[in-house]
Amino acid sequence: MLFVTIQELEAAINYWRSQSPSEGDELRICPEASALAKPYALMIVQGAQRVPVDVLDELARSAIQQFQKISQ
């Protein structure tokens, strides 16, 4: 089973935010950063340091995998 650390999620969120800055009056973040922010917030609340990749929804999994390919 593959895992993603909280540090990787934070880095991926920052990457996606830099690629597609917040927009609109409500400063909406891009879909990739939004999808990753949900498990990131849960990990903070639960005190978790890593999460299995297979529990991420499709968009979050795709966003983290794309980030991992780019950052290698």
Side-chain angles (χ1 to χ4, degrees), residues 14-34:
N14 290 333
Y15 168 78
W16 287 111
R17 288 184 65 219
S18 73
Q19 296 301 303
S20 182
S22 300
E23 57 185 36
D25 290 338
E26 67 278 358
L27 295 176
R28 180 179 56 249
I29 61 175
C30 67
E32 294 86 359
S34 179

Side-chain angles (χ1 to χ4, degrees), residues 4-52:
V4 176
T5 66
I6 194 165
Q7 293 86 3
E8 286 177 300
L9 278 177
E10 184 176 6
I13 290 167
N14 290 333
Y15 168 78
W16 287 111
R17 288 184 65 219
S18 73
Q19 296 301 303
S20 182
S22 300
E23 57 185 36
D25 290 338
E26 67 278 358
L27 295 176
R28 180 179 56 249
I29 61 175
C30 67
E32 294 86 359
S34 179
L36 294 171
K38 294 171 189 172
Y40 180 73
L42 285 173
M43 290 174 74
I44 291 172
V45 170
Q46 296 171 351
Q49 291 299 308
R50 62 184 191 161
V51 64

Side-chain angles (χ1 to χ4, degrees), residues 54-66:
D54 58 351
V55 302
L56 301 175
D57 67 29
E58 185 177 331
L59 182 55
R61 192 175 315 120
S62 174
I64 195 69
Q65 288 171 342
Q66 288 178 45

